[in-house]
């Protein structure tokens, strides 16, 4: 089959075979500042299907950090999923773009098992834990992303290998998981503070997250890999996170398998 010239430059990239990604059905959870950046990159890769999941509506305060939204979207209170899906659909009409206005926490493993990969761009730990656990249960690769001002964080989860997102959430986080926590896990004041957002860091973190998705599709993903970006110093650290002995997603299975 002759490759569409649209993807000629992407497919000619050495060392990263992106042909598999073109056949993927991908879900991006969260269409805020980070989600906007991730959706832009993923739709340009030309996956088979791209689902935008978000229950929130566009507000004027979103316009300073979400380039997929317009002033009209904010004035009419358009749903973020619908506005983002419309914008990326215009960027690449080869892709079957779907919008789903739902809270991720209301969806179970049957929903998440329908995708080849899920990317998390959420603003709270509870939703991340829910999506991570469901993806892990289904064996669906999950790439989590978070931003907080000049800090960016990306974590690669490739079940059943390596650590998952919950492995990195400590007891303090778990005890206040429903309170206002930021994307990177730092405690927020209650009532919830406005999480600072810097456009370049959002863009960079979203690009790191999208590239990890591309690496997974190309068979080069590394389970448990975590990228930590510090925008103040413009430095990036990369580590492999260890599986936690108290993580429900790993621990339960191990206990059952090792019962005497
Ligand atoms: Zn885990």
């Amino acid at each position: 089959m002759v490759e569409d010239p649209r993807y000629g430059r992407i497919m000619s990239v050495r060392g990263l075979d992106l042909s598999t990604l073109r056949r993927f059905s991908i879900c991006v959870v969260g269409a805020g500042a980070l989600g906007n950046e991730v959706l832009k990159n993923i739709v340009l890769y030309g996956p088979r299907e791209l689902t935008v999941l978000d229950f929130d509506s566009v507000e004027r305060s979103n316009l300073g950090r979400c380039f997929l939204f317009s002033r009209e979207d904010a004035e009419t209170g358009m749903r973020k999923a619908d506005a983002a899906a419309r914008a990326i659909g215009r960027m690449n009409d080869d892709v079957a773009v779907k919008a789903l206005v739902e809270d991720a926490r209301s969806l179970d493993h049957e929903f998440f098992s329908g995708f080849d990969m899920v990317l998390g761009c959420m603003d709270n730990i509870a939703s991340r834990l829910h999506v991570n656990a469901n993806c892990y249960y289904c064996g669906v690769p999950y790439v989590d992303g978070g931003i907080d001002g000049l800090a960016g964080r990306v974590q690669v989860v490739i079940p059943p290998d390596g650590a998952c997102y919950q492995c990195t959430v400590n007891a303090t986080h778990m005890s206040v998981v429903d309170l206002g926590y930021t994307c990177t896990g730092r405690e927020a004041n209650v009532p919830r503070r406005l999480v600072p957002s810097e456009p370049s860091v959002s863009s960079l973190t979203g690009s790191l997250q999208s590239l990890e998705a591309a690496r997974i599709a190309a068979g080069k993903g590394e389970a448990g890999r975590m990228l930590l970006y510090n925008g103040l110093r413009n430095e990036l650290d990369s580590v492999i996170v260890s599986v936690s002995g108290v993580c429900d997603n790993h621990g339960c299975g191990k206990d059952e398998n090792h019962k005497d």
Side-chain angles (χ1 to χ4, degrees), residues 35-45 67-68 88 91 203 207:
N36 269 235
E37 301 292 338
V38 167
L39 285 165
K40 184 268 285 180
N41 290 342
I42 296 296
V43 83
L44 290 179
Y45 284 135
F67 75 103
L68 296 177
I88 61 172
M91 291 172 65
S203 176
S207 293

Side-chain angles (χ1 to χ4, degrees), residues 84-107:
R86 184 187 57 191
I88 61 172
R90 287 178 181 149
M91 291 172 65
N92 189 353
D93 59 9
D94 290 345
V95 181
V97 176
K98 299 177 181 177
L100 185 58
V101 181
E102 289 273 6
D103 186 335
R105 283 179 284 181
S106 69
L107 300 167

Side-chain angles (χ1 to χ4, degrees), residues 113-131:
S113 66
F115 300 98
D116 297 299
M117 192 186 306
V118 174
L119 285 84
C121 304
M122 292 157 275
D123 62 357
N124 67 87
I125 290 175
S127 296
R128 285 186 161 82
L129 288 169
H130 179 83
V131 175

Side-chain angles (χ1 to χ4, degrees), residues 43-159:
V43 83
L44 290 179
Y45 284 135
R48 178 171 54 86
E49 287 183 344
L50 181 51
T51 298
V52 187
L53 174 62
D54 197 303
F55 69 93
D56 216 349
S57 301
V58 179
E59 298 176 6
R60 183 165 174 79
S61 62
N62 300 132
L63 302 183
R65 52 206 166 93
C66 302
F67 75 103
L68 296 177
F69 303 151
S70 68
R71 186 171 70 179
E72 289 72 30
D73 295 336
E75 287 174 351
T76 59
M78 195 167 182
R79 297 290 193 163
K80 287 180 178 176
D82 291 328
R86 184 187 57 191
I88 61 172
R90 287 178 181 149
M91 291 172 65
N92 189 353
D93 59 9
D94 290 345
V95 181
V97 176
K98 299 177 181 177
L100 185 58
V101 181
E102 289 273 6
D103 186 335
R105 283 179 284 181
S106 69
L107 300 167
D108 63 12
H109 64 276
E110 288 188 15
F111 172 79
F112 292 101
S113 66
F115 300 98
D116 297 299
M117 192 186 306
V118 174
L119 285 84
C121 304
M122 292 157 275
D123 62 357
N124 67 87
I125 290 175
S127 296
R128 285 186 161 82
L129 288 169
H130 179 83
V131 175
N132 168 75
N134 280 280
C135 289
Y136 196 87
Y137 179 80
C138 303
V140 174
Y142 172 62
V143 186
D144 185 74
I147 49 173
D148 185 356
L150 292 170
R153 175 189 183 280
V154 173
Q155 185 180 346
V156 176
V157 181
I158 309 178

Side-chain angles (χ1 to χ4, degrees), residues 132 136 155 157 162-168 242-244 246-251:
N132 168 75
Y136 196 87
Q155 185 180 346
V157 181
C164 72
Y165 173 74
Q166 189 169 329
C167 288
T168 66
S242 299
V243 174
S244 166
V246 295
C247 175
D248 295 333
N249 299 320
H250 306 274

